[in-house]
Amino acid sequence: MPTPLSDFGEFALIDHLHKDYKTKNASTLLGIGDDAAVLKSLPSNEVELVTTDLLLEGIHFDLTYTPLKHLGYKAIAVNLSDIYAMNGTPQQVTVSLGISSKFSVEQIEELYQGIYLACDRYHVDLVGGDTSASLNGLMISITCLGHTPHDKVVYRSGAKVNDLICVSGNLGAAYMGLMLLEREKKVFLETNSPYFEPSFKGKEYIIERQLKPEPRADIIQSLANAGMQPTSMMDISDGLSSELLHIAKSSQVGIAVYEDRLPIDHETLAMAEELNLNPLTVALNGGEDYELLLTLPLEDFDRIPQIQDLHIIGKVTTKEEGNLIITSSDSAIELVAQGWNAASALKAQQ
Ligand SMILES: [Mg+2]
């Protein structure tokens, strides 16, 4: 029998969830267990990075097809991704939850299993948070703290004309995963059968990309090892074109990216074809890939292949040249911000 949350008071629940948890980072002097966490001050050459994210059930995630463990993992992963995108090292997170009475203690434990898994994998300490009853659904608010030497911070605003534009991994997969999950949910609701089996065969990768994204700590590490520092950087949460336009605007430059350079996985291509979507649109506008978009000086051209899974997709031009995608047939199309967001993507499917 699931344990109702009302069997625990707030403090008992926090104790229950965190009783075996031990912090790992030297900068965490005290995590959970007092009125506030106690963190070591940074050396004078370092800066603190802070990012926060709010996730609401029905807006940012759908529990029909999102296992709670995956949700916990993803909630942490997307915050870490923002710290890496500043060229920083994440250190601590706080997690606050609003929980309605439809959830059991076991379900909240499942959510925390994912949270702890991501914290362990990326060497981050959970140092606090809050839990409260909510009237309906689940609300997750996460704040992540990180640091980096101040001369290593990478802003959106540093791209220079002639820099190379690079992305890690591949594009559009998480969006195709979401479309597939939404499609199967619709079929499930229509068939209304407890024996319904969704058809995910051969599409495991795009589903994983949607449900369990990994922040690209490895790319940040490889760049540091190679002694290469991006001139500008962002993580791709709202879609490549939207992020490219942010960099162009902040850096006061233009953008030229090449269609035939965009890395797209074969499962993404197959799903786009199945859904009658143009793969270029999917790669440009699909959100939630949590890959890194960055610019590097032209001098680094020969060294870029040393960074595994980093691809050159275009170059930085002057502001006057505008923001363009050069298609495979060599025509130039203006990049437009079709800023992807979870709310409109979920709505479009209803
Ligand atoms: Mg970001």
Side-chain angles (χ1 to χ4, degrees):
M1 266 295 280
T3 316
L5 282 166
S6 52
D7 279 16
F8 283 80
E10 182 195 337
F11 300 119
L13 179 66
I14 291 171
D15 280 349
H16 175 73
L17 290 169
H18 306 303
K19 62 181 182 308
D20 298 321
Y21 185 71
K22 295 208 171 30
T23 57
K24 307 171 273 294
N25 288 324
S27 60
T28 309
L29 300 178
L30 178 73
I32 294 164
D34 211 310
D35 297 299
V38 183
L39 309 179
K40 212 170 170 186
S41 326
L42 295 173
S44 61
N45 67 328
E46 300 229 336
V47 288
E48 188 91 56
L49 303 166
V50 185
T51 178
T52 191
D53 215 19
L54 178 64
L55 299 170
L56 301 174
E57 182 178 351
I59 305 287
H60 303 98
F61 57 89
D62 184 331
L63 292 176
T64 318
Y65 51 72
T66 310
L68 283 160
K69 188 174 173 183
H70 287 67
L71 179 63
Y73 191 95
K74 180 171 176 174
I76 297 293
V78 305
N79 276 272
L80 303 186
S81 181
D82 275 326
I83 299 289
Y84 292 123
M86 301 301 291
N87 204 25
T89 309
Q91 293 277 287
Q92 288 90 17
V93 289
T94 64
V95 175
S96 296
L97 302 176
I99 314 167
S100 76
S101 58
K102 74 175 176 179
F103 292 93
S104 66
V105 170
E106 287 76 10
Q107 284 177 302
I108 300 306
E109 283 173 337
E110 205 191 315
L111 180 75
Y112 267 99
Q113 280 171 15
I115 289 172
Y116 285 135
L117 185 62
C119 286
D120 279 350
R121 187 162 293 174
Y122 292 95
H123 308 287
V124 171
D125 290 328
L126 176 66
V127 297
D130 198 9
T131 58
S132 165
S134 91
L135 286 179
N136 48 48
L138 179 63
M139 187 212 85
I140 308 172
S141 169
I142 295 188
T143 297
C144 183
L145 306 175
H147 63 79
T148 196
H150 66 73
D151 58 345
K152 300 282 185 215
V153 187
V154 178
Y155 298 93
R156 299 173 180 188
S157 55
K160 302 274 180 299
V161 178
N162 292 329
D163 280 355
L164 299 163
I165 302 172
C166 303
V167 288
S168 62
N170 60 70
L171 301 166
Y175 177 55
M176 286 299 89
L178 177 65
M179 292 297 103
L180 172 62
L181 289 163
E182 285 287 333
R183 182 182 77 181
E184 295 303 302
K185 175 189 169 183
K186 224 171 136 203
V187 178
F188 166 67
L189 293 175
E190 280 162 9
T191 47
N192 202 16
S193 155
Y195 304 108
F196 172 76
E197 290 245 7
S199 66
F200 292 152
K201 207 170 165 346
K203 300 181 169 88
E204 293 82 1
Y205 176 70
I206 55 172
I207 299 227
E208 174 147 344
R209 292 280 291 177
Q210 168 57 221
L211 295 180
K212 192 170 166 289
E214 300 290 351
R216 298 306 304 259
D218 59 325
I219 297 283
I220 297 303
Q221 192 59 55
S222 307
L223 286 165
N225 293 347
M228 288 156 73
Q229 181 160 324
T231 50
S232 71
M233 183 154 60
M234 286 186 72
D235 67 332
I236 305 181
S237 51
D238 298 335
L240 178 68
S241 51
S242 157
E243 320 299 15
L244 281 168
L245 293 174
H246 281 301
I247 286 189
K249 191 173 175 208
S250 301
S251 299
Q252 296 287 304
V253 294
I255 295 289
V257 292
Y258 296 86
E259 177 181 11
D260 56 11
R261 290 272 191 170
L262 298 180
I264 306 177
D265 185 80
H266 68 93
E267 279 190 26
T268 307
L269 287 173
M271 195 67 225
E273 190 177 341
E274 212 175 306
L275 297 173
N276 267 320
L277 293 169
N278 181 344
L280 177 61
T281 312
V282 169
L284 285 176
N285 299 314
E288 295 197 295
D289 283 321
Y290 298 102
E291 295 295 344
L292 291 170
L293 166 66
L294 54 94
T295 54
L296 284 165
L298 187 58
E299 302 86 83
D300 283 336
F301 179 79
D302 291 334
R303 299 203 291 161
I304 292 175
Q306 288 176 33
I307 314 293
Q308 220 189 343
D309 211 19
L310 188 67
H311 316 280
I312 301 173
I313 60 164
K315 63 178 183 203
V316 177
T317 59
T318 63
K319 194 180 168 191
E320 291 65 40
E321 288 169 273
N323 304 308
L324 301 172
I325 168 98
I326 318 296
T327 67
S328 309
S329 55
D330 229 13
S331 49
I333 304 172
E334 197 188 331
L335 270 176
V336 280
Q338 277 192 28
W340 185 91
N341 70 64
S344 60
L346 286 180
K347 211 175 235 135
Q349 287 300 302
Q350 281 160 9

